[in-house]
Amino acid sequence: MGKVTGFLEFQRIKESYEAPAARLKHWREFVHTLTDEEARVQGARCMDCGIPFCSNGCPVNNIIPDWNDLVYRQDWRRALDVLHSTNNFPEFTGRVCPAPCEAACTLNINDDAVGIKSIEHAIIDKGWQEGWVTPQPPQRKTGKKVAVVGSGPAGLACAQQLARAGHAVTVFEKSNRIGGLLRYGIPDFKLEKSHIDRRLAQMEAEGVEFCPSTYVGDAAHAEDGLTVRSPESLQAEFDAVVLTGGAEQPRDLPAPGRELRGVHFAMDFLRQQNKVNNGDRVEKQISAKGKHVIVIGGGDTGSDCVGTSNRQGALSVTQFELMSKLPEVENRPLTWPYWPAKLRTSSSHDEGCERDWSVSTRSFEGKGGKIDKLVAARVEWFKDKATGQLKMREVEGSQFELPADLVLLAMGFVSPVKNVLDAFGVDSDARGNARADTDSYKTNVDKVFAAGDMRRGQSLIVWAIREGRQCARSVDAYLMGGSTLPR
Ligand SMILES: Cc1cc2nc3c(=O)[nH]c(=O)nc-3n(C[C@H](O)[C@H](O)[C@H](O)COP(=O)(O)OP(=O)(O)OC[C@H]3O[C@@H](n4cnc5c(N)ncnc54)[C@H](O)[C@@H]3O)c2cc1C
Ligand code: SF4
């Protein structure tokens, strides 16, 4: 523990942001990383608790008190090594993780949590700046070959671990670029894509081979122009196959008028803007410029639609949430150390957006096949006496309408796309995810494993990294009869 009385002396320091009016003019990141001195003071606030709840709250079990102490002592190099020992990609989590570790921090019971995520961000950025992040190729090769299908954080973490264990790893990705939702979901203003590119260069130097624009599955479901690899060809060529294809099936809103032009899934809108920012050509981009935009769904995806719409020059942005508004401050004695349900306001909301809760969409209306209005009603939530379950009813006479030129459906993802699992003959669970446990990550099909959102359903980057790492260990043990990779 760095400074014994640090938590009494110092306040939490938040990372500062470029002002909304300035950052709305560009697509770059706008968060200012802590200075060395600010990070040192944050590290000093860590109490090095006997039981580090933060470490348990973090899905990859980052060894947080150790790197807090090392940053307090300004031993950045060792802090980076400790951070990398549990997390392959702290530059992603240090930027966009919602930080369940901070909810679990003991200081969070009656004070502000240690700024764990901001310290993580500072450590990894310094690591890259100083040239300390270098390839770690294996000392010897095993002669075994592994195929990873899908290049999001789960696939990348799994591939990196397996390559470092000496296996020949090939990552297949149907998109034209590697990175999964890091690349085509999360906007540049939250995560610039150069962070992905330099990791990919590191992984290539460690021996990972990337095959973009390659669809794995049944040719009938592949988009035109892609190389197709059948499950059988992969199973014949590789000693193990890991499915990390994400949970790509979006939740739809089958209200009257859904077919009108101007009603789109959030991912179609976000992917296009990310492609434009990547320098790719996009035919007929869905644009919010000069439009009244309504975003339906209050999560991360919805918030990214708000930030993207404002940067494109929307006339107005409104975000609806079906659930009721949560309190701004949680009841900490009741919720700590768990992730609390509370109102979360993102940097995109701060850039300009009307938010409304307990709103249900009744219909989309328009002229000439194009939307111009959204009709909605207010709902109230109540506990059903018979079942104890939360139920919803419409408030009588509460119907209202709003002008709408662009509606973005951001209500989450139901499951993985079924035909990919079907092509492999992989069983799914009751929610439609690939069925595999978190010890072995094995599916019902010989040599085929599954991890990340494809196995657990829509989740977070940090959970994808955890599953990718744990799955790599299981694959290594399956191929070699044992593994020294960490879980
Ligand atoms: C808009 C948006 C914003 C988000 N923001 C955050 C955030 O701020 N913080 C956070 O922690 N999480 C966030 N998430 C969630 C996070 O991105 C995901 O949980 C995470 O990326 C899942 O990782 P994954 O590797 O399992 O799958 P994915 O990242 O979905 O990657 C799966 C990849 O597999 C490929 N693939 C699928 N099928 C095939 C096939 N048959 N052949 C070849 N390739 C295939 C896909 O093209 C994709 O590239 C966000 C999600 C979205 C949609
Ligand atoms: S990965 Fe997320 S949960 Fe873990 S230490 Fe970093 S911010 Fe916290």
Side-chain angles (χ1 to χ4, degrees), residues 228-264:
V228 179
R229 289 296 306 260
S230 70
E232 297 75 26
S233 75
L234 254 53
Q235 283 161 297
E237 185 183 333
F238 293 89
D239 299 293
V241 179
V242 182
L243 302 180
T244 51
E248 297 195 302
Q249 191 65 54
R251 183 166 288 114
D252 206 347
L253 183 55
R258 168 66 182 88
E259 73 292 346
L260 290 171
R261 280 201 315 282
V263 183
H264 298 276

Side-chain angles (χ1 to χ4, degrees), residues 58-59 62 64 93 97 99-101 116-117 120 462:
C58 169
N62 274 338
I64 297 162
T93 47
C97 185
C101 54
I116 298 169
K117 176 177 162 187
E120 179 181 24
V462 66

Side-chain angles (χ1 to χ4, degrees), residues 55 58-68 70 76-91 93 120 123-124 132-134 136 157 160-161 164 199 202 462 465-466 468-470 472-473 484-487:
S55 195
C58 169
V60 290
N61 302 120
N62 274 338
I63 309 166
I64 297 162
D66 286 23
W67 39 261
N68 281 341
L70 290 162
W76 292 89
R77 182 72 211 244
R78 279 179 64 207
L80 180 70
D81 290 343
V82 176
L83 179 54
H84 265 149
S85 72
T86 51
N87 187 349
N88 297 63
F89 312 125
E91 62 274 39
T93 47
E120 179 181 24
I123 298 172
I124 184 61
W132 296 332
V133 187
T134 52
Q136 296 173 36
Q160 185 166 58
Q161 292 295 95
R164 288 177 177 179
R199 266 300 165 190
Q202 182 201 37
V462 66
I465 295 173
R466 170 197 167 109
R469 288 171 65 86
Q470 292 192 340
R473 189 177 194 280
T484 53
L485 287 176
R487 242 181 84 82

Side-chain angles (χ1 to χ4, degrees), residues 96-98 149-155 172-175 177 179-182 185-187 190 214-217 244-248 267 270 300-301 304 413 420 451-454 458-462 464:
V96 295
C97 185
V149 181
S151 67
F172 297 95
E173 168 57 58
K174 66 181 156 73
S175 296
R177 291 177 198 264
L181 288 173
L182 299 169
I186 300 173
K190 275 170 61 185
T214 306
Y215 179 84
V216 176
T244 51
E248 297 195 302
M267 265 309 293
L270 294 173
D300 269 339
T301 308
D304 290 348
F413 299 84
V420 179
D453 281 8
M454 186 157 241
Q458 85 169 74
S459 185
L460 294 174
I461 292 164
V462 66

Side-chain angles (χ1 to χ4, degrees), residues 329-407:
V329 181
E330 72 274 32
N331 183 344
R332 290 187 189 173
L334 206 66
T335 58
W336 181 87
Y338 300 109
W339 183 244
K342 67 172 183 180
L343 179 67
R344 291 175 201 279
T345 299
S346 72
S347 54
S348 292
H349 293 134
D350 288 339
E351 290 163 2
C353 164
E354 283 295 322
R355 299 168 79 188
D356 204 348
W357 291 264
S358 303
V359 173
S360 164
T361 303
R362 282 183 136 205
S363 62
F364 308 104
E365 295 183 7
K367 290 184 205 78
K370 200 178 160 307
I371 185 162
D372 60 17
K373 172 178 8 164
L374 182 142
V375 181
R378 304 215 160 269
V379 295
E380 57 188 7
W381 291 89
F382 63 98
K383 211 175 230 174
D384 184 79
K385 282 198 183 120
T387 61
Q389 279 178 343
L390 208 54
K391 287 202 165 164
M392 178 187 93
R393 67 180 156 231
E394 200 172 298
V395 178
E396 215 174 296
S398 69
Q399 191 172 314
F400 66 98
E401 46 187 60
L402 275 187
D405 310 304
L406 175 63
V407 173

